[in-house]
Amino acid sequence: MNWEQIQGNWMQLRGKIKEKWGKLTDDDLNVIDGKREELASTLQAKYGYQREQAEQEADEFCRSA
């Protein structure tokens, strides 16, 4: 999947995202709204990831979704 597809299917993917990153709240997911940069920023804030790690996690999710 690519990020355009993730944005288009965001409501259906929310469950998978919450399984992978349980610290993300519904409010977080509303703000992220399928945007890669928002997901990476939120992962940094919630999990203390470095920017590069957060981006890698987001990209890995994109490939596996």
Side-chain angles (χ1 to χ4, degrees):
M1 233 183 229
N2 63 39
W3 280 102
E4 283 183 18
Q5 292 170 315
I6 288 177
Q7 281 184 305
N9 295 311
W10 187 246
M11 294 306 285
Q12 293 84 1
L13 293 171
R14 289 169 67 113
K16 281 186 173 182
I17 291 165
K18 287 186 93 169
E19 282 180 27
K20 183 165 179 71
W21 296 294
K23 292 182 183 180
L24 299 183
T25 65
D26 287 332
D27 288 341
D28 293 330
L29 295 176
N30 288 337
V31 170
I32 295 167
D33 195 31
K35 297 178 198 93
R36 179 184 179 272
E37 291 300 316
E38 287 291 332
L39 176 58
S41 295
T42 304
L43 291 175
Q44 279 185 275
K46 294 281 183 162
Y47 287 89
Y49 293 163
Q50 296 295 319
R51 184 68 182 180
E52 185 175 301
Q53 182 182 2
E55 289 175 353
Q56 285 176 334
E57 292 266 338
D59 290 341
E60 182 181 304
F61 176 78
C62 182
R63 285 189 297 273
S64 69

